Amino acid sequence: MKISYNWLKQFLKTDWTPEQTSELLTDLGLEVEGIELYQSIKGGLEGIVVGEVLTCIKHPNADKLKLTTVNIGADKPLQIVCGAPNVATGQKVPVATIGTVLYTEEGEAWTIKKGKIRGEESHGMICAEDELCLGKSHDGILVLDKAIKVGTLAADIFEVENDQIFEIGLTPNRADAMSHLGVARDLKAGLIQKEINLELITPAVSAFRVDNRTVKIDVDVINKDLAPRYCGLTITGLKVKESPAWLQHRLKAIGLSPINNIVDATNYVLHDLGQPLHAFDAVKIYGNKIEVKTLKAGTKFTTLDGVDRELHAEDLMICDGEKPMCIAGVFGGINSGVTESTTSIFLESAYFNPISIRKTAKRHGLNTDASFRFERGIDPNITEYALKRAALLIQELAGGEITSDIIDVYPNKIKDFEVRLSFENAEKLIGEEIPKETIKRILTSLEIKVNNVTETGLGLTVPAYRNDVEREVDIIEEVLRVYGYNNIATTEKLNASISRASKFEDYKIQNVVGNQLASQGYFEILSNSLTTSKYVELSEQLKEDHNISMLNPLSNDLSVLRQSLLFSGLEAVSFNLNRKRNDLKLFEFGKTYHGFENKREEYKHLSMFTTGNQSLESWLTSGKKSDFFYLKGSIVSILERLGISRYNEAATKNDFFSEGLTLSLGKAKIVDFGLIRKPILKHFDISQDVVYADFNWDTILDMVKRNNITFKAITKYPEVKRDFALLLDENVTFESIHKLAKQSEKQLLKSVNLFDVYQGKNLPKGKKSYAVSFTLQDENKTLTDKQIDKIMSKLQQSFETQLGAELR
């Protein structure tokens, strides 16, 4: 939210600097995230002075240029080359001196430098109005009033407004601070705590009066629960035109574009007092009647942006006698707003149900300044005051007469909150005792009424606009933020307790695995659990019926809880690939959510993604792709680190993969991994291969808890390695060799390793060659050649008999 420092000073006549003010606002909980300079004229006309043209002759080396001398009040006149056809002796002109920075219409900066133009020195520039951002004309230089004194700063003549704009990171609960009045109210309380008492100056509306009662618009609020208060009046005899400079500057300073004097007046009051208003062209209100109601679902309505929208049955609408005119509190209609031909208006000021407005805004994907405030809850008791303020401002800007009494439909007054504050509870929560008089002063400065005072506490009435202060703890928080968190002393004694936690706690196992993956070059990601419902269409194993949908989604892309970590991970992969980060290794710990027929379940997962090269290219190594086997190595290293060595391998049935494996133990699935199918990658505009693993983390945690890690001494007897070059059928896998070898020699065979594969020339058709090494070791003695030969013969015989292998 943008807040203008100059605008703020209309409410509080403070001499504090913007920096001091921003520091206090941050301490009060209105965090100032940045301060930005606003100038009504880009550059503030700095370096531009008024000069008088003393001489003006034809440039000796150019037909269209003139050589002038200009007095700017310095020690000697400046020689300036000028190409304007209207420059003449005796004129008072704006001069940009050397070093001055000027700006183009697009905002690009360029600097005036000393130079030579066609052989003649030029020490500045005589400016046209477009070069100073004062207009669009470039027909010639800007000629000023001759009465202006030479050397006068141009900024003084054109009344450049300089302002400091606070960018406030407003938290959703602070609906009361969504205006300059609200921020000023908080600032006043903070200054009182620093013993600076300033009056809060609010706009006067005592001049408001009804001129006549010639134009009456009847109002019927049908859905009173959705519109607890609705006010309005008519103004006729208006003239729609451009807003005056001061109003345009106020709006531009906070990032708004001026439209016309009527709309700008409503926007000004919105940001001034926090009350959204809407002006309807009174002539376009059929039957001189306003109805506030919901319409039948599916009703078509065209909003100001020209978009045809289909209404929901719960959307509150402002209608006339025959048609809808506006989505209440959210967005106006295309045919009922103020135009250049408007001469009379119906001015609306209302309080709408915050929940209703939020749902409507989200349903239609709209986020306006009005809906931003209504959905958080505005002050229901400022409605009439803001209407009067806006009416007087419109009369000031556009003329006209107020031609109806104020209509105020407010059947059930929204009451203030009654809260009891205990001094003892305040001390417990704050950590130290704050003097009772200080607490009373702070609460009074926040416009919280103290009804009664006892030795134990206070009876309070909280104004309705503070809808975030309804409990005792809220009152204590208000006291603390104004008193100052920094003023609470910290204890010199540090107390800590030792927690008893199992080594198998989820977060500890995550840290073990996460640290290992990070050491292997993986980066951890954290993606949103909310996703689009359309992702289930990419897989047959994901069911649309299992989606858990949000009742009030932020957008269609965030409407359901995810059933898989795959798609949110691929979004991250795609995001990085689009930014030329082609070599990725990512992992994420997260949950998936499933809505079954009779219950809802959530499961923990670890996902891993690899794509591109395994490591950065260098002169020493060529880029090697992160393939299926590279990811398998990472998976096996995780399982080994956790002490999980027993599992079964099988081809995966998961349709995420074009090819892959499932590791499981009994009926418990440990991990699915493989190469993601091309159609899924295409959906995310990914053209390179991506290998993905999905761990069932709940299974991992269960296995780790049941796994007993044992330790034994390293044997002092040596290992022996022997190799076989086996000629095999193409369909024989290394897994079958590994399994058969382990079955043939269970005691002394420690490991089996495939170190070379050959297919092609000099081999029979349908055959391949495997080079396999076998590691043998006896932990109690040194193996003899006779023992080794016997084992190798046994292995050879098994391979030949059961696999049809031949030794090469």
Side-chain angles (χ1 to χ4, degrees), residues 403-415:
T403 51
S404 75
D405 290 316
I406 291 178
I407 301 163
D408 188 0
V409 181
Y410 195 15
N412 300 306
K413 182 176 172 60
I414 297 174
K415 297 180 180 179

Side-chain angles (χ1 to χ4, degrees), residues 444-471:
T444 303
S445 70
L446 291 170
E447 299 184 1
I448 296 174
K449 184 180 178 183
V450 179
N451 296 323
N452 57 75
V453 182
T454 67
E455 284 298 315
T456 59
L458 302 174
L460 306 169
T461 299
V462 182
Y465 67 79
R466 289 307 308 270
N467 53 37
D468 62 322
V469 184
E470 299 182 356
R471 304 167 300 166

Side-chain angles (χ1 to χ4, degrees), residues 122-386:
S122 184
H123 296 266
M125 186 175 81
I126 304 174
C127 301
E129 67 175 43
D130 66 328
E131 292 163 336
L132 299 177
C133 297
L134 293 171
K136 296 186 178 180
S137 173
H138 196 71
D139 295 335
I141 61 169
L142 179 62
V143 180
L144 304 174
D145 190 335
K146 288 189 176 182
I148 300 173
K149 185 179 178 181
V150 168
T152 302
L153 298 178
D156 295 337
I157 300 171
F158 295 103
E159 297 180 351
V160 176
E161 178 169 347
N162 293 301
D163 198 357
Q164 300 286 337
I165 308 303
F166 302 129
E167 183 65 49
I168 294 180
L170 194 67
T171 52
N173 64 306
R174 291 303 307 276
D176 62 295
M178 293 186 296
S179 65
H180 286 79
L181 171 61
V183 174
R185 201 160 41 203
D186 250 28
L187 185 59
K188 178 190 175 185
L191 290 170
I192 288 175
Q193 182 60 22
K194 295 185 178 297
E195 299 185 356
I196 302 173
N197 287 288
L198 295 177
E199 181 188 358
L200 184 66
I201 305 169
T202 54
V205 294
S206 57
F208 178 87
R209 64 184 180 85
V210 178
D211 297 298
N212 57 68
R213 294 172 175 81
T214 55
V215 180
K216 184 183 178 185
I217 303 289
D218 294 323
V219 173
D220 183 10
V221 179
I222 297 171
N223 295 86
K224 292 182 173 61
D225 290 340
L226 302 184
R229 188 175 190 182
Y230 191 91
C231 298
L233 55 76
T234 59
I235 307 176
T236 60
L238 302 167
K239 184 175 182 181
V240 179
K241 57 184 178 180
E242 190 178 79
S243 295
W246 72 266
L247 179 53
Q248 292 195 40
H249 293 330
R250 281 283 181 266
L251 298 179
K252 287 178 180 178
I254 57 172
L256 298 182
S257 299
I259 299 173
N260 59 54
N261 51 354
I262 307 300
V263 176
D264 292 350
T266 60
N267 283 335
Y268 179 84
V269 174
L270 164 67
H271 290 275
D272 193 49
L273 304 178
Q275 171 68 54
L277 303 112
H278 192 77
F280 298 93
D281 190 325
V283 174
K284 298 175 183 176
I285 300 176
Y286 181 81
N288 283 345
K289 183 177 183 180
I290 293 283
E291 292 183 344
V292 184
K293 61 183 179 180
T294 55
L295 298 176
K296 195 161 87 173
T299 302
K300 302 292 184 181
F301 180 67
T302 306
T303 44
L304 269 173
D305 54 2
V307 176
D308 291 328
R309 303 181 187 275
E310 193 171 288
L311 299 179
H312 188 275
E314 294 180 359
D315 292 339
L316 185 66
M317 302 297 294
I318 309 300
C319 309
D320 63 13
E322 66 172 10
K323 64 184 182 300
M325 299 189 297
C326 174
I327 302 177
V330 180
F331 211 24
I334 197 167
N335 296 318
S336 62
V338 173
T339 64
E340 290 182 358
S341 60
T342 298
T343 58
S344 60
I345 62 170
F346 175 78
L347 187 61
E348 166 198 280
S349 177
Y351 175 85
F352 297 118
N353 183 288
I355 296 173
S356 169
I357 297 301
R358 178 172 174 78
K359 287 183 176 180
T360 295
K362 297 305 176 187
R363 269 195 294 266
H364 295 288
L366 294 169
N367 183 22
T368 61
D369 282 337
S371 68
F372 178 80
R373 286 158 177 80
F374 277 128
E375 67 190 28
R376 284 161 174 78
I378 62 169
D379 183 359
N381 297 319
I382 204 176
T383 311
E384 183 181 358
Y385 168 70

